Amino acid sequence: MNILLIAGHGAQDSGAVAKIDGVQYREADLTREVVSNLKKALENYGVNVSVYPTSHDAYTDYKNNKLTSFANFKSYNYVLEIHFNAGGSDLRGDGKIKGDECFWPSRGAATGLETPITSRLFTGSS
Ligand SMILES: [Zn+2]
């Protein structure tokens, strides 16, 4: 199985930014950390894992029609892009907007992996 991992945001796009206990977190940094760890974990299961260039923002590449310059998407069984979405104006973290999601492009189809992936994500509780 060949999987492409994409770390969301990056380059000039920090993605969501939060300050928690005085520490500022940038979504772009965290997605790269997760992709690095996920790559190692998947390789332990014998999966061939490629990582989209982490110096790039894949969405910017998509908008500039450069996405396929950096990855041959047809050569992968699955493409997973990591994000940590945040609700706008939820600066105090009131818990009204949280959770996880796993979606696929309208031109694609669900593979059946989406529910198992999201069911294993920690969503926190309060
Ligand atoms: Zn994001």
Side-chain angles (χ1 to χ4, degrees):
M1 174 175 247
N2 297 315
I3 294 179
L4 174 66
L5 298 176
I6 302 174
H9 304 280
Q12 304 303 316
D13 180 8
S14 65
V17 177
K19 195 169 203 174
I20 302 171
D21 295 333
V23 178
Q24 182 170 297
Y25 297 92
R26 298 173 62 239
E27 183 181 6
D29 298 333
L30 296 174
T31 59
R32 277 144 184 80
E33 183 178 334
V34 166
V35 161
S36 176
N37 290 330
L38 188 55
K39 180 179 189 310
K40 293 173 199 162
L42 290 170
E43 286 174 339
N44 285 337
Y45 287 97
V47 176
N48 295 317
V49 181
S50 299
V51 175
Y52 193 84
T54 55
S55 60
H56 285 247
D57 173 13
Y59 184 60
T60 298
D61 290 343
Y62 165 75
K63 289 189 295 186
N64 293 325
N65 289 318
K66 300 267 187 191
L67 200 58
T68 55
S69 299
F70 302 104
N72 178 7
F73 284 76
K74 292 181 180 174
S75 67
Y76 298 104
N77 303 100
Y78 204 83
V79 177
L80 181 64
E81 182 169 343
I82 304 295
H83 283 265
F84 298 94
N85 293 336
S89 301
D90 189 24
L91 301 177
R92 297 182 62 90
D94 64 3
K96 291 183 179 177
I97 302 172
K98 63 182 180 181
D100 51 69
E101 62 189 348
C102 194
F103 61 92
W104 55 92
S106 58
R107 288 184 290 170
T111 64
L113 295 175
E114 293 77 14
T115 298
I117 288 172
T118 54
S119 70
R120 287 167 174 80
L121 292 174
F122 174 75
T123 58
S125 61
S126 56

